[in-house]
Amino acid sequence: MAAGDNPFPDTPFVTMDGVAAGGRATVVTSAVRTARELIDARAGGPGSGGLVLAIVGEPGTGKSHLAGDLVARTANRARTEPGRSRQLRVDGAAGGFARAYSETLIGELIREEVLGDLVEDYFADVTASHLERLDGLRDRRELIEGLRARHYDARKVIERFYLSESEIRDELRRRLHDVTGRDDFSRALALLHQGGFQTEVWAWLAGLPPSEALRERGIVQPIEGDLGAFAAFGTLTMLFARQGHRLELFVDEFDAIVPSGPGREEVVRAVKKLADVFIEAGGLLVFCALPSTYQSLPSGLRDRAHEVRLAPFGQAETEDVIRLYQDGGLFPHTPHSAAEIRRLSGGNPREILRLLHRTWRPAPELTAGHIRASLRVEPLERAAGHAEVRRVIEDALVSGGWRPQSGVRMAGTTVDHWIRLAGNKAVAVLVADSLIDEDDVARVRRRVVALREEHPATEVVVVTRGYAAPEDARAVAALVGRDVLAAGDDLGDAVRIAVEDARRRLSAFAQDEMALVLEGLERANLQHIETQRLARAILGEVSAGFDRLAAAVPAPATPGGAPAGPPPLPPRIEEHFAAASSALGLLTDTRSMFAGLFRPKGPDAPAARGVPRERRLTPELYQAIGVAVLYRGLLEEFRAAVAAWFRDAAPDRTPGPAERDELHRICFDFTTAAQRLPLFQLDRIAEQAPFAEPDDGYRRITRSYRRATVKSALQGLGDRVFRAAVDPAPG
């Protein structure tokens, strides 16, 4: 990194996979040491005891980071101490466990052919047991042990000694049933080994209804919903364990798995059963959860799990963060400025990094006063920024059916938005610049107290458009009875929710029921009018946007004026970008959306496998296509930046320290930006395509395979490019 560059990330969000891929420093706290010791002691190899580890903490305390650290730790140990473990990761469980199971876990098992190899182990073991029962062969211990160790091919042994393969297959199915206790699984896995049914079996394992061929062979029920997925994965875990293998499952954002509404108790019981299976099977289950979610789990599950609770950073850990990002040095920070960073952030690691980025400057030495001053709103920006926040709030209130008065002067203060309700009640929205010390809290307190003295039946909502230190925000929240809202992308929604909550509180003490009814009718009418206005405005913007796009499209290039292709890269670098581009293309082929639209129709048309899905174009599909376009653009810009670096850094020699720092910054910026794009949305292009070919088991399981391939190709791309670029070996 060049001298004078800000060393701290502007978007300090990490994913479990991102940390595991490398490049993220870890502050070793007592919680980190405890988690590492538990992993090392209880998951050292096949045959060791099972472990369920719960990483518990508030948002931003480092749950994903610690999980990623443990992922890398177990993966490194597996490389240095070869065993029979299989690591699986669910980096965010949006859509519940059923989706994570069918699209991530099963996809990984397909891509790596892990389950097929496992069934082959069982087949070899059954063949060895069969030999032990035969006269003349039971004494051939070397052959029998070689089969069990997979030194010999079971099929060749069957042919060599003229054994009955049908009898051995029947024994395989019985053995699988003894292990799983499920007739459907034993039949499906036996068919998987038999051959000819791979597509049908994989589709069934991924949650699709069984095909006619499977139904004819006794597999009639699909693996449905979260409960079915938990049971299926528990069955697979036990299958691996009985052959001396161990599954290691890491789940980030466990909270998304446990629903808050109907079905919660059943899912929680399924989670406990899966945890019991992992402990019995000697496996490793690590999950990240918020404290509220973890405490809501039954005591039986919490008693079996080892909890690692993440605490806020103290002074020493805050200074460690600074040193990790500044090559071991504290300057321009001092212990006093680090203490102020810790106070303002509440010790939250994510907030610490945000503040370090926002307040950083190369010189001179930073003080606590410098930190606070850099967080305050500049006087020249105050009026314009305040007006913008007011506008966002007013738009949100109007779209919600309210009639706010803005900039009302009363009780010796300015109320940014005043909403009158029935029965002489009201909701006031106050905007503050920042909350970073006691003086800021005192100013808000004076405004609230004066307002309530003049209008007692008033609920207050406070919005801060600057930084809000946790302890100061809590003081204001205690004063007004609700959390302080922060200006940001979701401010409008947050204000609508807060004002509606305030209205409900006031309505609980209402006396005039008719006034409340009339107020509700008026709001509904205003909301309808505002919705129509917004719809007309959106249509106008879309039309204008298409006009701008049409004007921006360049005319076709002439043969002599064709644009130049992308700049060349050394082959050792190009192969990483080619693999990433190819993998991304697996999920972003928008042409396939209309593959079934122009298929021949009518009585003379060739027989088709089904009717194309004529679905409407949904907002979710547009979002998915937008993510695809953004990721493709990000990848192309990353490649161009690396190509420019090679051009300037003279690729015929080993890059110097400054050049390495610059490339590291480029790769780090790509990784940070890529982690903010939700790749899982790309699946919707295939799932919701309006005129795609009809869905079937083959396409469903292929999508699961593609998802695993894309994850493998794009995960850690920035770090792989950096390592390949600075390697002096010729490409």
Side-chain angles (χ1 to χ4, degrees), residues 599-643:
R599 191 175 56 200
K601 301 175 177 65
D604 298 328
R609 297 175 64 182
V611 179
R613 297 170 294 164
E614 299 189 16
R615 297 174 175 167
R616 65 186 182 90
L617 295 170
T618 63
E620 291 78 13
L621 180 59
Y622 287 133
Q623 290 174 5
I625 295 173
V627 170
V629 172
L630 287 174
Y631 210 104
R632 176 71 66 183
L634 174 63
L635 192 61
E636 291 173 355
E637 286 299 311
F638 179 38
R639 187 194 181 284
V642 173

Side-chain angles (χ1 to χ4, degrees), residues 278-364:
F278 265 84
I279 292 174
E280 179 184 351
L284 172 63
L285 173 60
V286 178
F287 64 91
C288 304
L290 294 171
S292 57
T293 299
Y294 186 70
Q295 287 304 123
S296 70
L297 298 177
S299 58
L301 174 56
R302 286 184 279 115
D303 290 343
R304 304 215 70 182
H306 290 263
E307 177 190 350
V308 173
R309 177 87 49 156
L310 300 182
F313 280 3
Q315 176 74 18
E317 290 89 355
T318 303
E319 292 184 17
D320 285 344
V321 171
I322 297 173
R323 291 189 174 95
L324 281 172
Y325 280 87
Q326 294 193 151
D327 298 326
L330 191 62
F331 184 84
H333 280 279
T334 66
H336 294 295
S337 66
E340 186 65 6
I341 289 286
R342 194 211 64 78
R343 183 191 74 81
L344 290 169
S345 65
N348 183 286
R350 183 184 296 164
E351 287 301 315
I352 287 174
L353 285 172
R354 277 189 176 134
L355 288 177
L356 287 171
H357 176 85
R358 183 170 172 179
T359 62
W360 185 86
R361 62 184 183 185

Side-chain angles (χ1 to χ4, degrees), residues 126-146:
V126 167
T127 304
S129 298
H130 188 83
L131 287 174
E132 287 180 320
R133 296 194 299 271
L134 296 178
D135 293 335
L137 293 177
R138 63 169 61 98
D139 295 331
R140 305 192 62 162
R141 303 309 307 171
E142 180 183 354
L143 175 62
I144 292 172
E145 295 303 323

Side-chain angles (χ1 to χ4, degrees), residues 680-710:
F680 68 87
Q681 287 196 4
L682 299 185
D683 289 340
R684 294 174 179 166
I685 295 178
E687 293 173 356
Q688 302 183 9
F691 292 98
E693 292 289 353
D695 207 354
D696 56 19
Y698 173 77
R699 286 187 174 84
R700 174 74 174 271
I701 206 65
T702 299
R703 284 203 300 271
S704 184
Y705 172 84
R706 288 200 306 255
R707 182 184 177 93
T709 301
V710 170

Side-chain angles (χ1 to χ4, degrees), residues 406-482:
S406 300
V408 179
R409 189 73 182 172
M410 60 176 63
T413 187
T414 298
V415 178
D416 295 276
H417 298 285
W418 178 257
I419 305 167
R420 292 187 179 277
L421 302 176
N424 201 30
K425 295 177 174 59
V427 178
V429 180
L430 305 181
V431 179
D433 285 328
S434 57
L435 293 173
I436 59 177
D437 58 24
E438 293 180 357
D439 291 340
D440 293 331
V441 175
R443 277 190 289 271
V444 174
R445 182 181 293 110
R446 286 194 294 270
R447 295 174 70 186
V448 173
V449 170
L451 186 60
R452 283 178 169 168
E453 285 180 351
E454 187 168 314
H455 299 277
T458 299
E459 286 283 327
V460 179
V461 176
V462 175
V463 177
T464 176
R465 72 182 197 85
Y467 189 79
E471 64 179 1
D472 298 320
R474 285 193 294 270
V476 173
L479 175 67
V480 300
R482 60 175 48 83

